[in-house]
Amino acid sequence: ITNHNQILNLIATHNNRIKNTTLNVTGVYSLYNLQNDSVVGVYHNYNISSTIGYKDKWEEMFSYNRFQSNDTSSVARTDFFQNDFTWMMKKVDITLMAKYSISDKLTPQVGYGTRLKYRITKYLSWSLSGEKLVLGDYYNSLAITGPNQYPYFFYTTLNVVW
């Protein structure tokens, strides 16, 4: 038995602080060679994201993600853009999200979302989120019908910080 599965991930990041402003830029490249019977599917993922924040008052994140595949049963290329803006208050953070997806097989899709984060203590926070999914969210690029069958995603998290 020969295994032709391969995964490669490259990550580069830059963080900078100038007085009260922080800037973080991250780039990620992922390559997946996954064998299915006698065919090896090749999947590429390119991502660049930047976050700029001012004090602990607000933060804006912009990301671009491209997913490519030679798998004829999936979308061959998806370009995904997301912009999040967060207002930070003493106990509560409010985030608004805007998303846009372009693919080679579907018309462009627009998504949106919101997140409410509540700090219970210094070490414990709770958040509640809701999003309108588009092609490209959570590797949905593989399943064209995913965002259409289940267009909304609601979730909650409890975060513990050590």
Side-chain angles (χ1 to χ4, degrees):
I1 297 176
T2 306
N3 184 341
H4 295 283
N5 294 332
Q6 300 170 342
I7 298 175
L8 170 70
N9 291 300
L10 300 173
I11 302 170
T13 186
H14 173 75
N15 301 311
N16 197 8
R17 179 181 208 94
I18 301 172
K19 294 188 181 186
N20 296 320
T21 304
T22 58
L23 172 67
N24 304 312
V25 178
T26 302
V28 178
Y29 169 73
S30 300
L31 168 66
Y32 304 91
N33 290 327
L34 304 176
Q35 185 170 359
N36 181 4
D37 296 326
S38 62
V39 177
V40 176
V42 180
Y43 305 91
H44 297 271
N45 188 53
Y46 309 88
N47 176 279
I48 187 158
S49 62
S50 68
T51 304
I52 187 167
Y54 180 72
K55 293 185 179 180
D56 287 328
K57 303 291 182 193
W58 60 265
E59 184 175 272
E60 184 170 19
M61 186 276 302
F62 178 80
S63 68
Y64 166 73
N65 194 58
R66 171 173 274 191
F67 182 81
Q68 290 178 272
S69 165
N70 72 342
D71 184 352
T72 57
S73 67
S74 69
V75 174
R77 191 192 85 246
T78 301
D79 292 300
F80 175 76
F81 302 87
Q82 183 167 341
N83 188 214
D84 295 1
F85 190 86
T86 302
W87 291 274
M88 295 176 252
M89 294 166 262
K90 186 175 180 177
K91 288 279 211 181
V92 176
D93 294 352
I94 300 170
T95 302
L96 298 177
M97 300 172 239
K99 303 186 275 186
Y100 185 72
S101 175
I102 306 167
S103 74
D104 58 338
K105 292 187 179 178
L106 296 174
T107 59
Q109 297 178 347
V110 176
Y112 47 86
T114 188
R115 179 181 312 113
L116 176 68
K117 178 180 175 182
Y118 178 72
R119 281 178 285 289
I120 300 166
T121 68
K122 182 178 178 180
Y123 304 103
L124 185 66
S125 65
W126 172 76
S127 66
L128 176 64
S129 304
E131 298 181 38
K132 163 71 172 75
L133 297 178
V134 297
L135 195 65
D137 274 327
Y138 312 109
Y139 285 96
N140 270 324
S141 304
L142 297 174
I144 296 173
T145 58
N148 296 330
Q149 290 176 334
Y150 305 101
Y152 297 98
F153 181 55
F154 296 95
Y155 55 100
T156 185
T157 58
L158 187 63
N159 299 305
V160 178
V161 178
W162 300 103

